[in-house]
Amino acid sequence: MSEKLKKTFIVTRFDPDKDEVPKTQTYEIEVEPDWKILDALNHIKDTVDPTLSHRWSCRMAVCGSCGMTVNGEPKLTCKDPLSSYGDTIEISPLANFPIVRDLVVELEGFMEKFQEVKPWIMVAKERAVEEGTTRQSPEELADFKGFSMCINCMLCYSACPVVSNEPEFLGPAALALGHRYNQDTRDEGSHVRNAVFRDEGAIFSCSFANECSEVCPKNVNPSGAIQQAKLANVIDWATSFVVKRGEDVS
Amino acid sequence: MSELRPRVDAMKPRAPMPTRTADPRPPDKFPSRGRYPSYLAFGACGAFLLLSAQLLIRGVWALGDGEAAWDAYIVSFGHPVYLAYHVAAFIGLTWFALRLFRLFPATQPNRMGPMKRPADAVLVAGLYGVFFTVLAVGTLFLGGALL
Amino acid sequence: MVDVSRHDVVIVGGGGAGLRAAIAASELNPEISIALVSKVYPMRSHTVSAEGGAAAIARDDDSLEMHGYDTVKGSDFLGDQDVIQYFVEQAPKELTRLEHWGCPWSRNEDGSVATRAFGGMSTKRTWYATDKVGFHMLHTLFQTSMKFGNVDRYDEHFVTKLLVDGGVCRGVAALDIRTGEMKAILGKAVILTTGGGGKVWPFTTNGNIKTGDGMSLAYREGVPLKDMEFVQYHPTGLPGTGILITEATRGEGGYLLNNEGERFLVTRDYGVGNKAELGPRDMISRAITQEIAAGRGVEIPGKPGRYAHLDLRHIGEEKIMARLPFVRELSKAYANVDPVHEPIPIRPVLHYMMGGVDTDIEARTSLDGLYAAGEVACVSLNGANRLGSNSLTECLVFGARAGEHATEYIKGASVGEEGPFVQQAEAEAARIDAFRGRQRGGEKIAKVREDMNTAMEDGTGVYREQASMAKAVKDIAELRQRFEQVSLDDSSKIFNTELIAGLELGNMLDVAEAVTWAAVQRKESRGAHACSDYPTRNDTEYLHHSLVYHSPEGPRFDKKEVTLGVWEPEERKY
Amino acid sequence: MKTLMLKLEPVIWLLFSGGMMIGGLLLPVFVLVVALGGGLGVVGGEALGYDRMLALVTHPIGSLVVLAAMALPVWGGAHHLRHLWIDFGGLGSDSLVGFLCYGTALASSIAAILAVVRLHA
Ligand SMILES: Cc1cc2nc3c(=O)[nH]c(=O)nc-3n(C[C@H](O)[C@H](O)[C@H](O)COP(=O)(O)OP(=O)(O)OC[C@H]3O[C@@H](n4cnc5c(N)ncnc54)[C@H](O)[C@@H]3O)c2cc1C
Ligand code: SF4
Ligand code: F3S
Ligand code: FES
């Protein structure tokens, strides 16, 4: 067995029944050198303090539940190695979200925004199974594939300065996913989505801080998606005065 | 600007929350940490865009007013305040342009027309090339050394 | 007083099977109200982690007959052949539907959907979206489900009990994790799609949420669990974490090597014939285990245990990035190995439960009003050994079947007298409150869980012995006693994850009981159940499904016929 | 005001992004040669002389270039400044600040157009 290292974790605690505002608690534990931040939290929960609450499941960077703030940066804790930090590590909930308890944040705000971008294939007439699969070239697939990689981990929301201030802003992940469908050759709903994007503050309030793409653990590039979506939106908006559109897609 | 708080309703759902929550926190140490200063400085360079474009307008306006007005316009730039501003503006605008061009590739779709998008590094190099060419050729031309 | 809400169909679970069921029910009848209850937000469900692909015939050189035969043979003839026939017929339709809903399947140059080779499949019939198939399928299903106005989601609600009275199931009692309050969610039919229970074992590809809850829920209401002894060890898990490296690595041409750099599946006889690395999982896992036992395992400095090497280097960086980018990301992040330049150390890891809640071909259980689909169920598609990439498709085919059948069923059904069901939910609320309030100082959840993990690893590994299985039966019984003494440190109602872990531990002990009980009864080796004392298959005595029933006096064992009729059992040799 | 601003966001954004590109490319040249070079007297009187400049700016291409360099960057600047204000928590006064920023930009672009048109008249 490899030798043990000692590290200090300063963890945000918040119990809505007892605490007016969040406070911190310090744990000093022995860790394995190849642990991730999440391993340390689970170790604390299992052996030191079972009252610590945090979300996690897959521990392989794909379910998106374990986003937290580590030494100030939004991180996917199951992928973030302990070895990249010093002896003291601060762990707090994701910024920009109301805090439910300890490291658990309120996600419903995102779920509402996500619903608004209509993240599904919209068509005027549903294709029948008997027609078989749609043809889509590898290039057409590549046009949106990257944006479909979002695991809804919310790191981008936590890093974006506009999210902090503009409640109507749909935010990086929701917009990237909306754009993903607009870019899909199988979809016919871009006019409907663009109208949603054009709503007050929904997309144009993004000031291209680019923080979202910097922190995204899955290289979704939401900042790029948003800028592309804005340009597409302007074109869609301009042509909407010339061409009348039926909005009978669903 | 003591401590910037996000709006408490920033990511709050419209539906009522079933339990009491603590207010959202701002991104850690906004605006001084990590890449935030660079982003905010980029936004602040908007002031250079606005002011320098307005000074250019003043110049073209002076051209319309006649030779004396134009000469006075050029002479006015000899004032130390203008000189200081323009040194800052030149540095600011150049940095602004370079940051913009560095981020630019991400904003481009996967395909540009029939072409696949070149690698990001290639695009950035291209844009930097354009910037410095425009700067060099523009300077020589405007400065009278070309043509 | 518990909060009561009323729906027509209540679906427990928001993974592949649950979401597919919700969409099927909603499409069949947009008027009905559907509750989708899940202990995590649906997109966190463990379907998200599936990497390799989903099987359905797609090419001209393939046929329903071939997919059926491969599946039957893979199952070591314990799969029900009517179920398998239905499955292979529906499979292409289901994957096509998913294509129409936007799943980003990888494509051939001509724009058709690409397929790859998979273990035990005789041709390329595994549809894929690079190596994040479950992720893309789950997100496609979840996002598609959002367009149906009649699906009411109960996210982060933990179902603790089925509401059953007079022999019918008419809803669930669910703990709202956020508030700590119990809710009675009533409906005329309930569909269980809660996934498997890999967390019963210590070294597993499964995530934290895979605790076999649905199996336990049904088991406690007297519904039998079927074929629980058959648990699949996947040949290639990363050291330490057990994170899966998909079989698609071998589908794309990867080799398995021992410490001498030898492709032992080719050079030695492990029964996989010229399929080599593309043999079925049970056989390959045994081969690796034997290589390690014979002293030909690979050592990793600083890590206990021995491994084999999965070598992808000859595939080349370009193809790895095009087909297996996630494998590269995982290997780098969790094993510190870049497969482009180094072989990946791996060993067999617990992956999948072939067994589960006994259902018929309509996804119905023996309890009126209760359906089950997906990994929680045992519709007998997989028999004694599942073929990789059949189970994602299974979630779609039988998730849809359950959703449709339940929608038909409720036409003639009513909740009836609500009182008894609500009372049960109230009693359940009291039980949970008592559990949460248990004095400190008793057994620790984490400790009991760890001991259960050890017992299961010792008793039900890749190879099993009668003696060790019998010991596991005893150990689990003892652990159940200890579980009664468990106490919590966290008495808060709000987002109490210790409470959830405690409830999950109770469920896992039910699953562990059924697995060990079924395992000791099967005195033969078939598929994933490799019993050292009885090394061969015994069709005269054991060509039957096993059923375990819960009873207050302890588990009761029974048998069920295997449906044959198309393919005759024969020796399983590749 | 706010409603109008939001209605016109697509246009404003287009002017803004165009303004960033054009301003970033062209304004440094102007600042370097005319403002600094002229101000310090390092660029010869001939080069920045009235006749040459008039000829340049009234040339069709020159007119277009100089118009772009004046009318677009003001939008780039205005939009940036408004967002900077929001980043520091100023969404509450967005109507006023937006009015000031975009009002300035609009007035400046009109002035820019007039300045060029006047030369051709
Ligand atoms: C790492 C990995 C890779 C895999 N790769 C493949 C592959 O390539 N091909 C293939 O065919 N198969 C693969 N499998 C198997 C396949 O992914 C699973 O069998 C399948 O996804 C199970 O789906 P499900 O819908 O049944 O359950 P899950 O996706 O596990 O969903 C279970 C749902 O039930 C909910 N739930 C559970 N308990 C409760 C409760 N008490 N109360 C409320 N809700 C509850 C959960 O919240 C969740 O939403 C893989 C499995 C793993 C672990
Ligand atoms: S865009 Fe990236 S950071 Fe944002 S939620 Fe998706 S995966 Fe996470
Ligand atoms: S960080 Fe925010 S401002 Fe835009 S580019 Fe990303 S959403
Ligand atoms: S635990 Fe799933 S992403 Fe970290």
Side-chain angles (χ1 to χ4, degrees):
Chain A
M1 278 264 109
S2 29
E3 84 286 21
K4 295 265 180 179
L5 298 165
K6 248 197 166 60
K7 293 215 188 224
T8 306
F9 293 85
I10 304 174
V11 183
T12 301
R13 302 299 309 268
F14 172 66
D15 178 348
D17 287 335
K18 298 192 193 112
D19 305 321
E20 199 47 47
V21 292
K23 55 185 188 194
T24 59
Q25 189 164 344
T26 304
Y27 303 98
E28 211 177 291
I29 57 165
E30 284 188 339
V31 302
E32 299 281 346
D34 61 351
W35 274 4
K36 312 291 179 202
I37 296 285
L38 180 66
D39 295 317
L41 284 175
N42 286 338
H43 180 80
I44 292 172
K45 182 156 182 84
D46 282 351
T47 63
V48 185
D49 184 355
T51 68
L52 179 65
S53 281
H54 61 285
R55 290 190 181 105
W56 69 285
S57 172
C58 72
R59 58 79 182 89
M60 55 189 278
V62 70
C63 76
S65 25
C66 67
M68 295 168 211
T69 307
V70 184
N71 278 5
E73 279 273 322
K75 288 284 183 188
L76 210 53
T77 51
C78 67
K79 202 185 174 190
D80 192 24
L82 273 183
S83 56
S84 48
Y85 299 93
D87 290 339
T88 305
I89 302 169
E90 272 179 63
I91 304 175
S92 50
L94 287 177
N96 287 340
F97 291 91
I99 302 166
V100 172
R101 180 181 169 180
D102 297 347
L103 299 166
V104 177
V105 296
E106 173 66 84
L107 288 179
E108 283 304 311
F110 167 71
M111 295 309 281
E112 287 175 1
K113 289 176 193 235
F114 193 21
Q115 177 90 35
E116 274 178 50
V117 306
K118 303 185 189 293
W120 54 80
I121 294 278
M122 283 194 269
V123 283
K125 193 176 158 290
E126 187 105 25
R127 277 178 285 263
V129 177
E130 292 69 37
E131 292 172 39
T133 54
T134 327
R135 297 244 155 183
Q136 188 171 61
S137 70
E139 292 76 30
E140 288 168 336
L141 172 66
D143 287 347
F144 70 87
K145 180 75 191 287
F147 305 135
S148 75
M149 301 297 275
C150 171
I151 60 173
N152 303 352
C153 67
M154 300 294 102
L155 301 196
C156 52
Y157 281 75
S158 184
C160 173
V162 175
V163 167
S164 316
N165 287 305
E166 170 56 281
E168 301 303 326
F169 182 39
L170 290 173
L175 286 167
L177 285 160
H179 185 59
R180 166 244 180 281
Y181 282 98
N182 281 353
Q183 293 290 94
D184 193 321
T185 47
R186 294 167 290 190
D187 180 78
E188 297 165 3
S190 62
H191 303 314
V192 180
R193 260 179 237 111
N194 277 330
V196 175
F197 287 3
R198 268 198 293 281
D199 261 357
E200 174 173 342
I203 190 170
F204 284 104
S205 55
C206 159
S207 58
F208 195 21
N210 202 46
E211 276 300 302
C212 50
S213 291
E214 291 280 357
V215 301
C216 175
K218 295 282 134 183
N219 294 321
V220 172
N221 184 17
S223 83
I226 295 173
Q227 314 319 313
Q228 291 170 33
K230 284 179 190 165
L231 184 60
N233 206 306
V234 174
I235 296 168
D236 182 69
W237 176 79
T239 51
S240 71
F241 295 102
V242 188
V243 199
K244 188 96 192 81
R245 285 179 190 129
E247 297 199 340
D248 48 357
V249 293
S250 67
Chain B
M1 211 183 80
S2 54
E3 203 203 344
L4 286 163
R5 306 290 305 171
R7 291 174 54 133
V8 290
D9 58 345
M11 284 304 284
K12 199 164 147 177
R14 273 184 263 280
M17 290 188 285
T19 62
R20 190 174 75 85
T21 54
D23 289 346
R25 298 159 161 207
D28 191 60
K29 302 202 188 71
F30 184 83
S32 62
R33 189 184 56 87
R35 298 165 297 264
Y36 292 123
S38 144
Y39 154 68
L40 292 169
F42 184 72
C45 282
F48 292 132
L49 282 179
L50 186 61
L51 287 176
S52 289
Q54 285 179 328
L55 286 170
L56 180 54
I57 296 171
R58 223 194 82 197
V60 177
W61 201 265
L63 276 179
D65 284 346
E67 186 158 2
W70 172 256
D71 288 344
Y73 170 72
I74 293 287
V75 169
S76 72
F77 284 153
H79 193 280
V81 174
Y82 266 137
L83 287 176
Y85 164 78
H86 279 121
V87 169
F90 181 71
I91 297 171
L93 286 169
T94 305
W95 177 79
F96 175 89
L98 294 182
R99 184 179 188 273
L100 178 68
F101 295 145
R102 183 168 55 74
L103 295 184
F104 182 80
T107 68
Q108 291 313 104
N110 186 46
R111 283 184 291 175
M112 295 161 144
M115 266 191 0
K116 217 175 130 38
R117 181 175 91 184
D120 287 7
V122 176
L123 264 180
V124 175
L127 286 165
Y128 277 23
V130 169
F131 175 79
F132 285 110
T133 310
V134 168
L135 188 62
V137 174
T139 303
L140 292 177
F141 173 71
L142 209 57
L146 258 181
L147 290 185
Chain C
M1 282 303 283
V2 298
D3 183 73
V4 183
S5 50
R6 294 163 187 87
H7 301 273
D8 293 301
V9 177
V10 178
I11 299 169
V12 186
L19 290 166
R20 184 64 190 94
I23 295 172
S26 193
E27 281 193 327
L28 193 62
N29 185 353
E31 305 297 318
I32 61 173
S33 154
I34 298 156
L36 187 74
V37 191
S38 174
K39 67 178 174 179
V40 293
Y41 278 93
M43 68 275 189
R44 318 290 192 215
S45 304
H46 206 59
T47 297
V48 82
S49 67
E51 299 168 24
I57 63 164
R59 288 156 51 112
D60 295 339
D61 64 357
D62 204 356
S63 69
L64 297 175
E65 157 77 24
M66 280 161 74
H67 190 188
Y69 177 69
D70 287 346
T71 304
V72 169
K73 188 169 169 187
S75 81
D76 220 346
F77 297 90
L78 202 68
D80 282 353
Q81 300 189 0
D82 54 342
V83 168
I84 292 172
Q85 275 193 311
Y86 177 75
F87 167 79
V88 296
E89 273 165 35
Q90 295 302 313
K93 298 182 198 161
E94 282 299 327
L95 295 188
T96 300
R97 273 191 191 100
L98 219 61
E99 196 277 338
H100 291 172
W101 292 334
C103 188
W105 297 118
S106 291
R107 302 282 174 162
N108 296 316
E109 271 314 312
D110 67 355
S112 59
V113 171
T115 50
R116 65 163 44 126
F118 239 69
M121 301 280 186
S122 51
T123 181
K124 290 186 178 177
R125 69 165 71 94
T126 297
W127 301 35
Y128 64 96
T130 60
D131 52 353
K132 283 189 135 180
V133 182
F135 164 81
H136 285 300
M137 286 177 56
L138 182 71
H139 280 249
T140 302
L141 285 167
F142 177 52
Q143 291 165 14
T144 302
S145 80
M146 289 170 97
K147 82 174 173 190
F148 295 100
N150 59 339
V151 179
D152 287 327
R153 288 207 324 269
Y154 292 79
D155 296 335
E156 302 197 320
H157 281 61
F158 187 96
V159 173
T160 64
K161 191 180 188 314
L162 300 176
L163 302 178
V164 180
D165 189 64
V168 294
C169 180
R170 288 292 184 263
V172 300
L175 180 75
D176 182 344
I177 300 175
R178 173 68 171 276
T179 62
E181 301 295 341
M182 188 60 80
K183 291 179 183 168
I185 304 173
L186 302 184
K188 298 169 203 156
V190 174
I191 307 176
L192 283 177
T193 59
T194 54
K199 274 287 171 185
V200 171
W201 289 265
F203 188 66
T204 170
T205 62
N206 286 201
N208 187 37
I209 56 175
K210 296 204 72 171
T211 51
D213 300 351
M215 298 179 187
S216 162
L217 288 171
Y219 186 55
R220 273 184 256 145
E221 301 307 326
V223 180
L225 300 181
K226 182 167 62 182
D227 292 344
M228 293 295 279
E229 65 273 37
F230 298 106
V231 295
Q232 179 164 77
Y233 282 82
H234 193 292
T236 57
L238 290 183
T241 57
I243 288 172
L244 178 79
I245 296 299
T246 170
E247 187 164 299
T249 50
R250 286 170 281 134
E252 300 293 351
Y255 298 150
L256 286 172
L257 308 176
N258 61 21
N259 67 351
E260 291 153 15
E262 171 191 347
R263 258 183 93 188
F264 51 88
L265 290 163
V266 175
T267 53
R268 293 163 201 271
D269 182 16
Y270 285 112
V272 291
N274 59 9
K275 280 203 169 305
E277 278 85 359
L278 286 175
R281 289 178 180 174
D282 53 344
M283 293 183 168
I284 307 242
S285 285
R286 285 196 286 272
I288 296 175
T289 309
Q290 286 193 29
E291 285 292 308
I292 293 173
R296 291 190 293 274
V298 176
E299 265 182 78
I300 315 179
K303 280 248 181 290
R306 296 281 189 279
Y307 302 85
H309 267 152
L310 172 61
D311 192 354
L312 309 183
R313 287 173 295 186
H314 54 285
I315 296 177
E317 176 160 8
E318 197 183 326
K319 194 166 168 195
I320 290 179
M321 288 315 287
R323 304 272 178 90
L324 303 164
F326 192 42
V327 164
R328 191 177 187 195
E329 178 185 336
L330 291 172
S331 308
K332 280 184 173 176
Y334 298 99
N336 226 347
V337 160
D338 182 349
V340 171
H341 305 295
E342 299 152 274
I344 314 169
I346 48 85
R347 76 170 168 97
V349 54
L350 189 117
H351 185 55
Y352 181 86
M353 300 185 68
M354 269 72 75
V357 180
D358 175 29
T359 74
D360 65 11
I361 193 168
E362 312 283 11
R364 268 183 308 207
T365 71
S366 60
L367 175 60
D368 195 15
L370 183 69
Y371 293 76
E375 195 174 337
V376 67
C378 180
V379 64
S380 289
L381 167 68
N382 303 310
N385 174 61
R386 168 180 75 104
L387 290 190
S389 74
N390 264 354
S391 73
L392 284 173
T393 315
E394 175 186 359
C395 288
L396 299 175
V397 170
F398 292 99
R401 193 77 204 103
E404 282 160 9
H405 203 278
T407 306
E408 288 298 323
Y409 166 86
I410 59 169
K411 280 186 188 157
S414 78
V415 173
E417 183 53 54
E418 261 182 23
F421 299 109
V422 176
Q423 272 162 27
Q424 276 182 27
E426 269 160 11
E428 187 62 6
R431 180 180 81 92
I432 302 295
D433 281 342
F435 186 53
R436 184 170 31 218
R438 283 218 200 135
Q439 288 296 309
R440 287 159 180 248
E443 287 271 3
K444 285 264 174 276
I445 291 169
K447 186 76 185 90
V448 176
R449 187 173 59 211
E450 202 182 306
D451 293 348
M452 170 190 72
N453 285 164
T454 313
M456 293 305 282
E457 181 165 54
D458 294 347
T460 54
V462 174
Y463 283 101
R464 294 144 180 212
E465 284 155 24
Q466 279 297 315
S468 59
M469 286 187 280
K471 178 169 181 304
V473 169
K474 209 168 113 279
D475 289 347
I476 297 299
E478 269 170 35
L479 284 160
R480 293 185 75 109
Q481 298 296 318
R482 281 173 60 194
F483 178 69
E484 295 306 316
Q485 309 307 316
V486 152
S487 69
L488 305 194
D489 285 21
D490 191 348
S491 56
S492 167
K493 284 196 128 178
I494 296 168
F495 223 95
N496 186 335
T497 47
E498 194 194 15
L499 172 64
I500 299 301
L503 295 169
E504 287 174 340
L505 176 59
N507 295 340
M508 286 193 285
L509 285 166
D510 284 342
V511 173
E513 175 178 278
V515 170
T516 48
W517 261 77
V520 276
Q521 310 282 344
R522 189 171 285 277
K523 299 191 171 68
E524 64 159 351
S525 287
R526 181 188 298 271
H529 180 72
C531 186
S532 314
D533 313 284
Y534 306 93
T536 52
R537 195 173 89 194
N538 177 352
D539 281 345
T540 29
E541 281 177 90
Y542 289 100
L543 184 56
H544 60 67
H545 301 296
S546 54
L547 299 180
V548 183
Y549 289 85
H550 176 71
S551 85
E553 302 82 48
R556 184 165 66 76
F557 187 80
D558 205 352
K559 297 174 186 173
K560 186 174 173 179
E561 287 277 290
V562 175
T563 310
L564 302 169
V566 188
W567 298 280
E568 276 308 304
E570 59 190 21
E571 195 196 349
R572 183 159 164 256
K573 195 98 185 120
Y574 287 89
Chain D
M1 178 63 210
K2 180 102 187 173
T3 343
L4 182 68
M5 208 159 85
L6 292 169
K7 261 224 149 59
L8 293 177
E9 257 184 320
V11 198
I12 296 176
W13 180 80
L14 199 62
L15 294 168
F16 154 80
S17 40
M20 288 205 293
M21 289 304 255
I22 297 289
L25 272 180
L26 298 183
L27 287 180
V29 179
F30 160 72
V31 172
L32 189 66
V33 181
V34 180
L36 284 174
L40 291 168
V42 274
V43 180
E46 195 47 11
L48 293 182
Y50 179 74
D51 294 335
R52 181 165 183 261
M53 283 299 133
L54 190 64
L56 277 184
V57 175
T58 48
H59 185 279
I61 296 179
S63 290
L64 282 179
V65 170
V66 96
L67 193 61
M70 296 187 294
L72 289 174
V74 288
W75 291 96
H79 193 69
H80 265 308
L81 293 180
R82 174 183 156 226
H83 274 295
L84 194 64
W85 184 252
I86 297 175
D87 284 336
F88 284 97
L91 195 69
S93 47
D94 194 28
S95 288
L96 177 67
V97 173
F99 177 74
L100 288 177
C101 288
Y102 297 134
T104 310
L106 185 65
S108 304
S109 339
I110 293 172
I113 295 168
L114 285 180
V116 173
V117 169
R118 209 163 64 117
L119 291 180
H120 286 275

